[in-house]
Amino acid sequence: MSIFFPLIYLFAGWLVGKIALDFKTTASWVLTRIAIPVVIIFNISTRFGSMSTIIVATAMCMLAMLVVCQRIMRDPVKSLCFSYLNIGWLGLPVASALFGNDASTIIIAAYVGSSIVGNSVGAGMLSGSRFNLLKLVQTPPVLALFAGAMLIPFGQNVSRWGTELYSVSKFMMSFLGMAVLGIWLSKIRLSASGLLREIKPFLLKSVVMAVLVSLLLLLASSLDVRLIAENPATLYLFCLLPPAANIIVLETHYLGTGKSARPITCGTCISIIAISLYAAVILGFRAWW
């Protein structure tokens, strides 16, 4: 049932958009300044030991994809739609439902790595500013990373006293993010031709991610990184994820536009079908095995 929660949140945002109650700017601010940093701080301070390898690997892969895409496409929104995946808002509930606790750890770690790159380098690309290390350090996800690292010695206390705040922030991250996308969706028209246009970039992205995941699994096996090596099904789920709904949040926040809403929404629809087939195969294999 949790697999369908992101779609419910998306539909709620669509209904809000239809009744002309527009809170996407406020929701974007809450997400970028409060909810996402809280999730990063909590996970870094309490789980960094088991997450550090995945955080670094995800950040490096995403950064490389962003650089290559930007040189080819010359469009920051398109580059982000290809490189920045919906790991937290869609990937987390799906992976948790299918694969359990180890999958959640992998997904959250990957989300932290991608969030840092997407919300810092991606924000810089959208704002049109050149790379500035000082500005990068001042972005909310990077500040959250530093704060989480400083709290690592107090991880048990953070886990004890911050679990409820973390749970609320994680829910806000999923609900508000998909709701913002739903509001933008209510302003545009989807068509069969639009969905068909997004199949090609979805397949291309899936192939690129499959290659990267395969290389990561080989490296993890050789270095005996068990969390990665023992969860290939979770990692290959990344190949089926759509563009991050957070892209529309960043675009709203920095540009005041919503042109990423269509590829994100179409990509999400395609991804839901692909993930459903993937889940059916996984569950069928378990039942047979």
Side-chain angles (χ1 to χ4, degrees), residues 73-245:
M73 300 177 182
R74 303 292 181 180
D75 185 325
V77 174
K78 289 183 179 180
S79 298
L80 282 170
C81 285
F82 190 89
S83 308
Y84 194 2
L85 304 181
N86 196 334
I87 296 173
W89 302 348
L90 182 59
L92 181 57
V94 171
S96 299
L98 287 177
F99 305 116
N101 291 332
D102 281 351
S104 296
T105 300
I106 292 172
I107 293 293
I108 291 171
Y111 171 76
V112 172
S114 66
S115 178
I116 290 169
V117 175
N119 288 282
S120 56
V121 178
M125 291 168 56
L126 289 173
S127 65
S129 60
R130 294 183 177 181
F131 178 79
N132 186 309
L133 182 60
L134 181 59
K135 288 185 177 180
L136 178 63
V137 171
Q138 293 174 343
T139 57
V142 177
L143 290 174
L145 174 63
F146 290 153
M150 293 174 63
L151 289 173
I152 288 176
F154 311 100
Q156 290 185 348
N157 292 328
V158 173
S159 181
R160 183 185 308 161
W161 300 107
T163 299
E164 291 186 4
L165 177 61
Y166 167 67
S167 298
V168 172
S169 297
K170 191 166 67 170
F171 170 76
M172 288 171 58
M173 187 176 72
S174 182
F175 176 73
L176 291 180
M178 296 304 291
V180 169
L181 177 57
I183 293 173
W184 278 113
L185 176 60
S186 69
K187 313 298 182 184
I188 63 176
R189 289 185 178 180
L190 290 179
S191 62
S193 60
L195 287 171
L196 291 174
R197 280 197 302 270
E198 295 303 320
I199 291 179
K200 183 178 179 180
F202 179 84
L203 292 176
L204 178 59
K205 181 173 58 181
S206 297
V207 170
V208 172
M209 286 304 304
V211 171
L212 292 175
V213 166
S214 299
L215 292 175
L216 180 60
L217 285 168
L218 289 173
L219 182 61
S221 297
S222 63
L223 297 177
D224 196 28
V225 183
R226 292 188 176 183
L227 183 62
I228 296 176
E230 294 177 358
N231 291 279
T234 300
L235 292 171
Y236 281 112
L237 179 64
F238 288 102
C239 303
L240 306 178
L241 294 177

Side-chain angles (χ1 to χ4, degrees), residues 2-3 92-100 103 237 275 278-280 282-283 286:
S2 60
I3 293 176
L92 181 57
V94 171
S96 299
L98 287 177
F99 305 116
L237 179 64
I275 289 174
Y278 186 68
I282 294 294
L283 295 175
R286 285 179 180 173

